[in-house]
Amino acid sequence: MNTNVKPVIDIRNLKVYFYVKAGTVKAVDGVTLAIEPGVKLGLVGESGSGKTTMALALMRMVRPPATIEGELFLDGVDILKLSEEEMRRVRLSELAMIPQGAMNSLNPVMRIRDQILDGMIDHGVRMSRSEANQKVEELLDIVELPKKVARMYPHELSGGMKQRVCVAIAISMRPKVLIADEPTSALDVVIQRQVMETITRLVKNLNLSMILIGHDMGLMAQSVDRIAVMYPGKLMEVGDVRDIFAEPLHPYTQALINSLPVLGKRGVFNGIPGVPPSVINPGPGCPFNDRCPKVIEGLCIQKMPPFREIKPGRWVACHLYEGVN
Amino acid sequence: MRLSYVIRRVFFVFMVIWTAATINFVLPRLTGRDPIKEQLMQQIASAGRKPEDAEQMWRKYNDLFGLDKPLWQQYLSYMSSVARLDFGYSINSYPRTVMEIIIARGRLTLPFLSVAIFIAFVTGILLGALLGWNKTPKWISAIVVPPLMVFSSVPQFLVALVLIYFVAFRAKLFPLGDPYPKTMIEDWSNPAFLAKYAYHAVLPILSVVIVEASGWALGMRAMMVTVEGEDYATFAEAKGLKNSRIFFRYLMRNALLPSLTGLALRLGFIITGAAVTETFFNYSGIGSTLSTAISTFDYFLLYGICLIMVVSIALATFIMDMIYPLLDPRIAYRGQRG
Ligand SMILES: Nc1ncnc2c1ncn2[C@@H]1O[C@H](COP(=O)(O)OP(=O)(O)OP(=O)(O)O)[C@@H](O)[C@H]1O
Ligand code: SF4
Ligand SMILES: [Mg+2]
C-alpha cells in the first residue's frame, strides 16, 4: 500500500454516543481509520457492533439525543465542522450512501424519474426537460435497468431493481465515496451477487472509494480491497483483504474466519462462542476478553489494548502484539 | 386509474344505498305490526288535524308502501320514490315533505360545518406535521402537545360552553347563539344575511375546530414519526435534499394518507356531526331535527334522514376512493389486480 497518497476519508478517534434511559450507548467508541482514493473497504462485525452508526456518523445523520466527537476528514476537510447547509451539499455530491434495508429506500408515492432527479436539482444542477430525461436514461442504463423504469413507482419494481435504482441515485453526482450499508442483505442469493457485481463494476469504472458494510466475511472477500473488523464500538483489526485472510492477527478476526464454512467440509459452521459485550457501560479491558481463547489474565481484563499500526497498513488492537513493530 | 376500478366503485355505492333503502323497507314489516300506521293515526288524532290532511297522508303512505298491492309491487314503488329522493310527508310537520325539511335544516348547518371541518383538517394536519418533524425544536412540542391532548379528549360541548361563557357572554365579542339574528328572515340571496350568518357562525366553527384540529394534529404527529423511521426518509436525507422537499414531498406526503381516509369518514357524517354544536348554539339543523324525529316517532322524517346519511357517507367514500389512487399509486395497482 502506498502511504504517500492522501486518504480521501480520514477518521480520527470517532466517538458516537447515544443517550438512553439505561445509560450511555457507546455505539462507536474511538475509531481511527483512513481510506485511500479508489480503495474499497469492507466494514465487518456482528449485529449491533456499530457499523450502521459509523455510516450515519460519516453522513452526519445520527439522530439526537446523541453526540459525535472526533475528527472526520473528507479530502482534508473536517466535515464535523461544516454548517448544516454545507453538509447537506456534501451529501450525494461527495459522500453518497445506500442505506441498510434498501427494500424500502424509495418514496412509495413518487415516480423513479423524480426520485433520481430531485437530488441533483437540490444540489443546483440545472437541466432542461430533455436533458433531465437523458440523464435519467443514462443512469438507469448504467445500472442495467430499462428506461421504462423511469415512469414507474417503487412498488412496481422487484427488490433487485429497487436496489439498482438506489445505486443509480447514489452515483448520480459522481461522489468521491460510496457508503453501502449491507446493500444486498434483503435480496436472495442470486440477485445479491448480480447487484454486487454491478456495484463493484461501477465503483471501479468511476474510480470511487467505497465503504461496504456487512457481516458476511465470505461475500466481503470477493468485493473489497481492505477489511476493517469491528467489535462493539471499536475496531479490532484493519488490513488488506489478502493479508487478513492469509494471516488473521486478532483473535476475534481468527474466530470470524474460522467460523466460515470451509469448502469441501460442508455444513461445518463453527460460530463464535459467547455473546458480544454490552455497549452500555462497558468494562475497562479488551471488549473481547470474555470470549477470547488467548486472553492474558490481568492485562486483558484491566486495560484496553491500543489500536496500533504494527506494520504499514496493518492495524490491530490486541495485547498479544504489544511489542511487535 | 382503470375504468374497471371506477365502475366497481360506482357499483359499490349503489349497492350500499340500495341495501340501506331495502332495510328501511323491510324493517317495519318484520315487526308484524304496523308501527307507521299506528303512529300516523295517533299523531293525526292527537294533533287534531283536519280529516283531509289525514286523507292525503294516507294516500301518500299507501303510495309509498302500497299496502294493498303485492309485496314486490310495494317494493318497486317504494324504490322508485326513493330514487326520486321522495320520502313522503313528515308526520309531525304535515304538509311539509321530508325532503323540504331536510333541505331547510341542512342549509343552516352545512355551510358553517363544512368550513369548520376544512379549517380543522388543514390546521390540524400542518400543525401535526410540524410537531412530528425531527427538525422542529423539542421544546415546541413540549409546550404545544399537552394542550392538544386535552382539547382532543374533552367533550365538544365543554369547549362550546367555555366559548359561549367567556367569548360571547363575558367579552360580548360574538352572539350567544342562533344561526342569525331573530329579527332577520332567512334569505340566502341577501348579502347582509350572509354576513350575519358568518358572524354568528364564528363560535360554532371555533368549537368544532379546536376539538377536531387537535385530534388531526395528534394523529398526524404520530404518523410523521412513523414515516421518519422509514428507510426512504433516511435515504432522502442521505440524498442531501433540501429540508422543505423532505418535509413536504417525502414525510408529509406519506404521513397524510391515513388522515385522508379519516377525512372521508368525517365528511360522511357531516350531516349528523353537528348535533352538539347545534344544541348549544341553538341551531335547528339536521342534527337536532334527527333527535326530534326520533323522540316524536316521525318515521318518515327519520327514514329520510337516515337514508340521506347513508347516501352522503357512500358518496364521501366514493369521492375519496376516486382521489386516493391519485395520491397513493399502490392503491390503483391493487385495484387493477382485483
Ligand atoms: N438511535 C439510537 N439510539 C440508541 N441506541 C442506538 C441508536 N442507534 C443505534 N443504537 C445502538 O448502537 C449499537 C450499534 O448499532 P448499529 O445499528 O450501528 O449496529 P450495526 O453494526 O449496524 O448492526 P446490524 O448488523 O444489525 O445492522 C446497538 O447497540 C444499537 O442498539
Ligand atoms: S487483548 Fe487480550 S483479550 Fe483482547 S483479543 Fe487480545 S488477547 Fe484476546
Ligand atoms: Mg446496521
Side-chain angles (χ1 to χ4, degrees):
Chain A
M1 203 187 66
N2 186 349
T3 41
N4 295 328
V5 184
K6 270 196 76 176
V8 60
I9 291 271
D10 194 352
I11 304 169
R12 302 212 185 136
N13 202 21
L14 180 70
K15 293 180 181 174
V16 184
Y17 294 173
F18 293 106
Y19 301 96
V20 296
K21 284 209 181 72
T24 303
V25 178
K26 302 187 171 179
V28 176
D29 197 14
V31 163
T32 296
L33 179 67
I35 301 165
E36 277 72 32
V39 168
K40 289 168 286 179
L41 175 113
L43 185 60
V44 292
E46 287 166 273
S47 187
S49 56
K51 307 180 298 291
T52 298
T53 307
M54 269 269 281
L56 291 176
L58 280 171
M59 300 295 291
R60 252 182 64 183
M61 279 169 49
V62 178
R63 300 249 165 109
T67 51
I68 310 183
E69 270 174 49
E71 291 162 312
L72 275 181
F73 291 101
L74 172 69
D75 246 359
V77 178
D78 186 353
I79 56 172
L80 290 184
K81 298 210 166 69
L82 296 180
S83 72
E84 264 304 315
E85 174 63 12
E86 285 166 336
M87 189 59 216
R88 179 183 77 73
R89 290 177 167 279
V90 167
R91 295 185 192 124
L92 194 69
S93 66
E94 295 185 47
L95 256 177
M97 179 174 84
I98 310 170
Q100 188 168 4
M103 290 301 284
N104 301 313
S105 291
L106 296 169
N107 187 347
V109 298
M110 262 171 90
R111 290 184 196 279
I112 300 302
R113 172 187 194 276
D114 300 329
Q115 303 198 48
I116 292 178
L117 289 172
D118 62 2
M120 286 183 266
I121 290 168
D122 276 5
H123 282 81
V125 179
R126 294 277 157 266
M127 292 170 282
S128 70
R129 224 194 137 70
S130 63
E131 281 167 348
N133 287 338
Q134 203 186 332
K135 183 76 193 171
V136 169
E137 264 178 43
E138 196 182 297
L139 283 166
L140 288 175
D141 191 53
I142 291 185
V143 294
E144 293 152 37
L145 286 173
K147 60 176 170 233
K148 69 165 194 278
V149 167
R151 277 177 287 106
M152 294 183 169
Y153 287 100
H155 69 264
E156 297 171 272
L157 307 179
S158 71
M161 291 167 89
K162 276 190 267 196
Q163 194 54 291
R164 284 171 190 277
V165 171
C166 289
V167 174
I169 292 172
I171 59 155
S172 62
M173 296 200 68
R174 294 272 192 124
K176 291 173 184 147
V177 182
L178 176 68
I179 303 169
D181 192 352
E182 305 197 21
T184 59
S185 57
L187 308 172
D188 68 59
V189 185
V190 180
I191 310 289
Q192 230 176 39
R193 177 142 310 151
Q194 291 169 354
V195 174
M196 212 49 236
E197 269 163 21
T198 304
I199 293 178
T200 32
R201 175 175 57 77
L202 284 174
V203 166
K204 183 161 172 265
N205 290 350
L206 300 174
N207 196 27
L208 311 180
S209 302
M210 172 164 76
I211 299 178
L212 179 65
I213 294 174
H215 43 233
D216 184 343
M217 277 287 244
L219 195 78
M220 271 306 163
Q222 305 160 1
S223 326
V224 299
D225 310 313
R226 282 169 70 71
I227 283 194
V229 179
M230 204 162 175
Y231 196 71
K234 296 189 157 68
L235 285 183
M236 297 288 104
E237 181 164 7
V238 175
D240 286 355
V241 68
R242 242 174 296 151
D243 300 343
I244 295 262
F245 274 90
E247 191 200 357
L249 296 178
H250 196 282
Y252 178 59
T253 319
Q254 291 165 359
L256 274 184
I257 289 173
N258 286 337
S259 76
L260 286 177
V262 181
L263 220 68
K265 272 206 272 174
R266 303 191 70 206
V268 183
F269 189 86
N270 295 328
I272 304 170
V275 289
S278 163
V279 280
I280 302 180
N281 313 320
C286 168
F288 192 53
N289 59 22
D290 56 340
R291 296 164 87 185
C292 179
K294 299 178 182 167
V295 60
I296 306 166
E297 287 305 329
L299 185 61
C300 294
I301 312 295
Q302 273 143 31
K303 198 165 163 276
M304 172 67 206
F307 185 57
R308 296 168 53 238
E309 189 169 23
I310 60 160
K311 53 184 144 176
R314 191 71 184 270
W315 296 64
V316 180
C318 175
H319 288 305
L320 294 175
Y321 305 96
E322 209 79 319
V324 187
N325 235 335
Chain B
M1 210 183 330
R2 289 285 181 87
L3 191 62
S4 65
Y5 174 83
V6 179
I7 291 172
R8 226 182 3 251
R9 291 286 127 191
V10 172
F11 178 71
F12 181 73
V13 168
F14 276 107
M15 286 303 290
V16 167
I17 296 173
W18 176 72
T19 309
T22 304
I23 291 173
N24 254 1
F25 176 81
V26 170
L27 269 188
R29 260 150 256 267
L30 288 181
T31 58
R33 288 163 56 197
D34 189 345
I36 297 178
K37 184 178 169 188
E38 284 171 21
Q39 185 61 31
L40 194 60
M41 297 316 289
Q42 198 190 328
Q43 290 285 327
I44 289 170
S46 65
R49 290 230 170 91
K50 288 176 296 196
E52 305 93 86
D53 281 5
E55 194 58 34
Q56 199 174 349
M57 281 177 85
W58 254 112
R59 233 179 287 130
K60 185 67 205 174
Y61 180 64
N62 272 326
D63 226 29
L64 253 183
F65 294 95
L67 292 177
D68 44 345
K69 294 181 199 129
L71 205 58
W72 65 269
Q73 256 182 25
Q74 293 179 29
Y75 183 65
L76 283 186
S77 63
Y78 164 80
M79 274 304 188
S80 77
S81 301
V82 167
R84 281 177 276 117
L85 289 179
D86 176 2
F87 307 111
Y89 293 100
S90 156
I91 297 177
N92 290 323
S93 318
Y94 184 82
R96 298 181 74 193
T97 66
V98 168
M99 211 49 209
E100 262 173 45
I101 295 178
I102 290 178
I103 290 172
R105 297 302 176 81
R107 214 163 40 189
L108 279 183
T109 37
L110 222 54
F112 96 77
L113 193 56
S114 32
V115 168
I117 289 177
F118 178 75
I119 295 177
F121 185 75
V122 173
T123 51
I125 290 301
L126 278 172
L127 185 63
L130 282 171
L131 289 175
W133 194 27
N134 53 20
K135 294 274 188 297
T136 307
K138 284 278 170 285
W139 59 267
I140 294 184
S141 292
I143 293 175
V144 179
V145 171
L148 288 182
M149 289 191 169
V150 172
F151 285 136
S152 69
S153 49
V154 295
Q156 202 200 327
F157 74 82
L158 207 64
V159 177
L161 280 181
V162 169
L163 284 176
I164 291 173
Y165 181 75
F166 286 103
V167 187
F169 182 68
R170 298 293 292 269
K172 297 196 173 12
L173 291 175
F174 292 100
L176 284 165
D178 299 326
Y180 49 88
K182 286 207 165 63
T183 52
M184 242 180 170
I185 39 165
E186 191 180 338
D187 176 6
W188 292 88
S189 58
N190 177 3
F193 170 81
L194 289 180
K196 278 294 177 192
Y197 175 86
Y199 177 59
H200 278 242
V202 170
L203 286 192
I205 289 178
L206 213 55
S207 76
V208 173
V209 166
I210 288 176
V211 173
E212 294 193 4
S214 308
W216 292 125
L218 290 177
M220 185 67 181
R221 171 171 164 265
M223 206 51 216
M224 280 291 279
V225 174
T226 306
V227 170
E228 275 161 354
E230 298 282 348
D231 294 325
Y232 57 78
T234 310
F235 195 36
E237 199 181 348
K239 280 162 79 177
L241 299 179
K242 291 183 175 151
N243 279 340
S244 57
R245 190 191 298 272
I246 296 179
F247 180 74
F248 287 112
R249 302 291 301 274
Y250 283 74
L251 303 179
M252 213 178 135
R253 180 71 170 68
N254 281 290
L256 186 64
L257 295 174
S259 297
L260 285 175
T261 314
L263 179 64
L265 287 175
R266 178 67 191 90
L267 285 176
F269 286 97
I270 190 165
I271 287 178
T272 48
V276 172
T277 330
E278 286 172 14
T279 313
F280 280 84
F281 290 97
N282 199 26
Y283 279 53
S284 41
I286 288 280
S288 51
T289 307
L290 179 64
S291 48
T292 315
I294 292 171
S295 59
T296 60
F297 303 103
D298 193 335
Y299 285 100
F300 293 149
L301 188 53
L302 188 56
Y303 287 161
I305 294 178
C306 285
L307 210 59
I308 289 289
M309 271 164 57
V310 171
V311 170
S312 66
I313 293 169
L315 280 183
T317 320
F318 173 74
I319 292 171
M320 201 42 72
D321 279 344
M322 290 299 102
I323 296 175
Y324 213 93
L326 304 177
L327 299 172
D328 188 348
R330 286 164 293 186
I331 301 298
Y333 184 68
R334 244 178 263 151
Q336 279 171 30
R337 293 219 152 165

